[in-house]
Amino acid sequence: MKAEPGAEFALIGAHFAGLGAAREDVLLGVGDDCALLRVPPGQSLAVSLDTLVAGVHFFPDCDPHALGHKTLAVSLSDLAAMGAEPAWATLALTLPESDPAWLAAFAAGLGELARAHGVRLVGGDTTRGPLTITLQLQGLVPPEAALRRDGACAGDCIWVSGTLGDAALALAELQAGRDPDAALRARLERPTPRVALGRALRGIASAAIDLSDGLVADLGHVLAASGVGAELRLDALPLGEAVAARTDWSLALAGGDDYELCFCASPGRDGEILALGQRLGCRLTPIGTIRGDDDALRCLLPDGTELNPTRRGYDHFAGV
């Protein structure tokens, strides 16, 4: 009797086998018990894992192509913050039902971004249940070149890429039943991971982190790891037109899903960093200074008074 693949394996073969970029270091990919991967000499593995849950991280009716893009983008942003080169991904996909059209669009969104960044999908799992997506991404970085959170020093300048608060504003509009304009919605559903910037910051940045939970919360992780404090100038924050029109600092300070990079560097590297931003076509803005006299984070309003943010960022278990 000829063995026929079950529905689960037919789904995998139809949508995910061979997804992403062709890589010579993939010795065995989707379709066996494990993937076999070759780690080049002199490189260390950078590994990130992110889970997206319907109704928590995205609306259940989210465009599946955009969702496929974001699934990979959030992990690419983690690798960018480490200065790592993306390589391989595994995907665990829990589905309420097998919908070929939804799967084709999701795989297309994931695959397009994977090919753009040289990523190959090498394995994973599919199960039935509430829509939940977990992606593990592995990258490569020389161990001595990896960017970390624990290297910020007193006197360092604090920088951010892009603009802040756009995704938070788009989410607020959607939650209020309004449809944000296409550019604003794209910042929420199709973020741009700053992978090239992360690699270029090797040897320049003293510390780095990606902004997923909000500037105050994520910069706070850098300060805690480095044992320093910081002073932010709120009038220096890079804001898009729609966010700047609001009188709500929490969008830029505590809104999640920016997926920009926040990094620290010696003020002697300012010119180099600005030139780097021009070369990459990426807006880079100095927004504050690392302090060594205490571990506080001070947010200074344009008039010099201090703002004490009532929201500090997203926390899944706050108040639980």
Side-chain angles (χ1 to χ4, degrees):
M1 181 176 66
K2 182 180 179 181
E4 296 292 344
E8 178 185 349
F9 296 100
L11 179 158
I12 293 169
H15 299 287
F16 299 110
L19 187 145
R23 296 186 61 97
E24 293 183 357
D25 52 17
V26 177
L27 306 180
L28 186 63
V30 173
D32 217 305
D33 290 306
C34 293
L36 297 178
L37 311 170
R38 181 188 295 116
V39 179
Q43 299 285 326
S44 57
L45 275 177
V47 181
S48 170
L49 182 77
D50 287 285
T51 295
L52 304 180
V53 179
V56 178
H57 298 94
F58 59 92
F59 292 97
D61 61 352
C62 178
D63 170 30
H65 190 282
L67 184 57
H69 174 105
K70 188 168 184 176
T71 294
L72 180 57
V74 299
S75 293
L76 284 169
S77 187
D78 284 333
L79 262 64
M82 301 293 293
E85 182 82 36
W88 316 297
T90 54
L91 175 70
L93 189 58
T94 301
L95 301 164
E97 60 182 346
S98 176
D99 180 340
W102 189 97
L103 283 163
F106 175 85
L110 177 62
E112 288 169 15
L113 191 62
R115 288 187 292 275
H117 288 279
V119 173
R120 179 67 174 265
L121 184 69
V122 296
D125 191 25
T126 54
T127 56
R128 186 167 187 172
L131 181 56
T132 305
I133 306 160
T134 297
L135 186 136
Q136 184 185 71
L137 183 63
Q138 300 94 37
L140 301 168
V141 61
E144 70 281 357
L147 305 179
R148 297 167 50 139
R149 299 179 181 183
D150 59 1
C153 301
D156 280 356
C157 185
I158 303 167
W159 296 77
V160 293
S161 64
T163 56
L164 304 178
D166 299 312
L169 179 55
L171 177 60
E173 292 289 288
L174 289 168
Q175 290 174 330
R178 297 185 292 268
D179 192 17
D181 69 66
L184 202 63
R185 186 165 188 156
R187 289 299 310 277
L188 175 65
E189 295 183 344
R190 300 178 185 270
T192 300
R194 304 296 187 180
V195 176
L197 174 61
R199 291 198 305 267
L201 287 172
R202 294 178 186 174
I204 297 175
S206 57
I209 193 169
D210 84 312
L211 299 179
S212 56
D213 294 325
L215 175 62
V216 169
D218 291 323
L219 177 57
H221 297 318
V222 171
L223 303 184
S226 300
V228 294
E231 185 174 280
L232 294 181
R233 303 183 306 274
L234 299 190
D235 58 353
L237 297 182
L239 307 178
E241 184 177 340
V243 175
R246 304 293 182 104
T247 56
D248 184 0
W249 288 110
S250 69
L251 291 171
L253 293 175
D257 285 320
D258 283 318
Y259 297 106
E260 298 291 349
L261 293 188
C262 176
F263 60 95
C264 305
S266 164
R269 313 302 290 262
D270 287 1
E272 188 177 358
I273 291 169
L274 291 171
L276 176 62
Q278 289 186 330
R279 177 167 65 83
L280 295 177
C282 178
R283 180 177 179 179
L284 300 177
T285 306
I287 61 169
T289 307
I290 295 294
R291 301 166 55 101
D293 52 346
D294 58 40
D295 60 0
L297 173 58
R298 296 184 175 86
C299 300
L300 301 183
L301 291 161
D303 64 3
T305 59
E306 186 173 344
L307 173 72
N308 184 22
T310 55
R311 290 178 52 214
R312 302 190 65 83
Y314 188 75
D315 183 340
H316 283 278
F317 298 100
V320 174

